[in-house]
Amino acid sequence: MITQGNTPGRRISPMTPAATSCRVDGQSPHRVSIQRRGPPFPEAPLAPGTAFRIRPGQAPERKRARFATMSTRQAVVQLLLIIIPVLLLSLVTATDGEKR
Amino acid sequence: MYAAHFAAGLAIKARAPRAPTWALLTGAFLPDILWIGFARVGIEPTAIANFFDDWSHSLAMVISWGALFALAFWRQGRGVVLAVWVAACSHFLLDLPIHPKFLALYPHSAIHLGVVTSGAIGARRYWFAQLAVVAVSTPVYVRGLAASGLRRNLVAASCLIVLTLHLLMYPG
């Protein structure tokens, strides 16, 4: 279980401030300490009450578990929502710059 | 923001008619385009709990990405480069008041800028806030391009497209 600060057994809450980042202190897999300010754990969005094991020395931010990535389909849709209007508006204002 | 970025791009187009529309609009959406890529590969998590978009949307990165993108148009003149860069930077200004998370000064910065999060304001109010931006930008565009000789029906058509896009995004 990842703990926050030096209090073994305390779970990291999903309410942990985004600027808080934890790192294993290298002495025990059950102890981590807050080392620096930074982004939230980018690869491990913690669901409420989530606990998981990490090896000593393995920073949680390196753990490749449960990415909150955008799906390919979502990405394509989002891109099309931009590209199609851009093309459409470019066509409509087709007397574009270089000519004027 | 969505349609508001198009409106801003078109407003800049009115000021810099030599700049290609596609470049201005792409510039206006550059941080979002990058965000889509970063979110897809996991650099910028999209979940509300750990939403992070500093690499695409922080002030320093928007300025930098915008400059890189704008420099691709250096052959078209300083005016075009500046217009494209301003279009990219307009993204930060428009996202500054309302965004899913306050915008960082630079990646991983402890300093965040913003007025209210989109979650706090609610989807409907957010939609109306964007409508206000569209309402302000569109006349700038209309006046500028009409004066530069673009046919009025085409100006009207582009305004209609932006407005339609915004209407399509009405929440619920």
Side-chain angles (χ1 to χ4, degrees):
Chain A
M1 178 186 296
I2 294 179
T3 57
Q4 188 174 350
N6 289 318
T7 313
R10 185 175 156 204
R11 291 181 179 192
I12 289 178
S13 155
M15 299 307 288
T16 298
T20 305
S21 179
C22 300
R23 204 164 75 85
V24 176
D25 63 12
Q27 294 174 8
S28 159
H30 302 293
R31 289 167 68 92
V32 294
S33 55
I34 296 172
Q35 298 286 326
R36 62 178 174 80
R37 290 185 143 217
F41 314 110
E43 307 92 353
L46 300 177
T50 298
F52 53 89
R53 287 179 183 282
I54 50 169
R55 291 190 301 276
Q58 181 193 15
E61 57 262 38
R62 290 190 194 148
K63 194 173 175 68
R64 310 285 297 178
R66 290 184 295 134
F67 258 95
T69 58
M70 186 183 280
S71 69
T72 305
R73 189 179 172 179
Q74 274 179 311
V76 169
V77 169
Q78 297 263 13
L79 276 177
L80 287 176
L81 279 173
I82 296 172
I83 292 168
I84 291 171
V86 166
L87 290 176
L88 204 57
L89 286 165
S90 299
L91 283 174
V92 168
T93 58
T95 53
D96 243 337
E98 298 91 335
K99 294 177 187 173
R100 287 196 296 272
Chain B
M1 294 240 168
Y2 178 57
H5 292 307
F6 286 115
L10 291 177
I12 294 166
K13 169 76 177 173
R15 293 279 180 171
R18 285 192 63 244
T21 307
W22 73 266
L24 292 173
L25 297 179
T26 305
F29 269 98
L30 192 61
D32 280 349
I33 292 168
L34 291 168
W35 172 73
I36 292 167
F38 292 160
R40 178 65 198 97
V41 297
I43 294 171
E44 297 194 335
T46 56
I48 297 293
N50 62 347
F51 188 89
F52 178 78
D53 62 354
D54 289 7
W55 290 109
S56 60
H57 279 73
S58 65
L59 177 61
M61 294 313 294
V62 168
I63 290 171
S64 307
W65 294 125
L68 276 176
F69 181 64
L71 282 174
F73 300 91
W74 68 273
R75 286 189 180 190
Q76 298 187 37
R78 216 178 291 175
V80 173
V81 170
L82 186 66
V84 173
W85 181 71
V86 168
C89 292
S90 74
H91 193 102
F92 182 87
L93 292 176
L94 290 180
D95 279 2
L96 186 61
I98 312 168
H99 197 61
K101 192 199 84 173
F102 287 167
L103 297 166
L105 203 58
Y106 53 85
H108 302 322
S109 165
I111 302 168
H112 289 80
L113 310 166
V115 178
V116 65
T117 60
S118 51
I121 196 174
R124 204 155 290 177
R125 282 185 191 169
Y126 189 26
W127 187 88
F128 280 106
Q130 293 186 65
L131 181 64
V133 176
V134 173
V136 169
S137 307
T138 307
V140 176
Y141 166 68
V142 170
R143 242 180 289 160
L145 275 198
S148 72
L150 186 67
R151 292 207 327 252
R152 284 186 181 192
N153 58 341
L154 294 180
V155 174
S158 47
C159 292
L160 196 64
I161 290 170
V162 172
L163 199 60
T164 306
L165 288 172
H166 190 58
L167 288 171
L168 288 174
M169 293 295 152
Y170 188 76

